[in-house]
């Protein structure tokens, strides 16, 4: 499984970015996808996840109401729309795919994309 993120960059506080993650494989729609992030000097943290069907999503409290995760199963792609960005959102953002169908166990990871929010 290969995951390739794109869409990171530098944005001012209050701005928006959309991250994309393209996945290889023919069974993309069966698996939960997630976004995580890691800021300098901090541990990697959960941001959001979406079930295979796309109908069920979950968010960390720090991004709820500002970020939206969605997927296009026809294109094997998951997205993270980030609005009202804050400097504390600065991090490397990673896309992940679950290795299990019935539970979210993230064993496959992308290389990450840098998001920097200036104040």
């Amino acid at each position: 499984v290969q995951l390739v993120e794109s869409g990171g960059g530098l944005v001012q506080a209050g701005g928006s970015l959309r991250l994309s993650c393209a996945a290889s494989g023919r069974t993309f729609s069966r698996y939960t996808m997630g976004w995580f992030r890691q800021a300098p000097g901090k541990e990697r943290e959960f941001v959001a996840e979406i079930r295979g069907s796309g109908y069920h999503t979950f968010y960390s409290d720090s991004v709820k109401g500002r970020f939206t995760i969605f997927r296009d199963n026809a294109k094997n792609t998951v997205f993270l729309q980030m609005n009202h960005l804050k400097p504390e959102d600065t991090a490397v953002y990673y896309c992940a795919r679950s290795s299990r169908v019935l539970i979210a166990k993230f064993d496959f990871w992308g290389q990450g994309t840098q998001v920097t929010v200036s104040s």
Side-chain angles (χ1 to χ4, degrees):
V1 176
Q2 290 186 323
L3 304 172
V4 180
E5 300 102 332
S6 61
L10 174 64
V11 64
Q12 288 187 331
S16 300
L17 281 176
R18 177 179 292 185
L19 306 183
S20 301
C21 173
S24 64
R26 295 182 293 176
T27 56
F28 177 76
S29 63
R30 298 180 65 188
Y31 297 99
T32 296
M33 298 294 297
W35 286 96
F36 293 75
R37 66 187 182 186
Q38 187 167 18
K42 296 187 177 181
E43 294 188 352
R44 188 175 298 186
E45 65 173 359
F46 167 79
V47 174
E49 69 176 50
I50 183 168
R51 297 286 188 255
S53 65
Y55 292 122
H56 301 285
T57 57
F58 304 91
Y59 298 91
S60 69
D61 288 343
S62 61
V63 308
K64 197 175 297 182
R66 299 187 298 120
F67 291 10
T68 302
I69 186 171
F70 59 101
R71 63 194 295 163
D72 183 340
N73 285 341
K75 296 183 178 180
N76 279 22
T77 303
V78 63
F79 303 90
L80 185 68
Q81 177 66 43
M82 305 185 294
N83 298 329
H84 305 294
L85 283 160
K86 304 175 181 180
E88 51 263 44
D89 294 319
T90 295
V92 177
Y93 283 71
Y94 296 91
C95 169
R97 202 208 82 173
S98 176
S99 59
R100 306 286 181 88
V101 173
L102 297 180
I103 62 172
K105 185 175 184 297
F106 296 105
D107 289 329
F108 302 106
W109 296 84
Q111 82 287 351
T113 186
Q114 177 71 46
V115 171
T116 303
V117 184
S118 63
S119 57

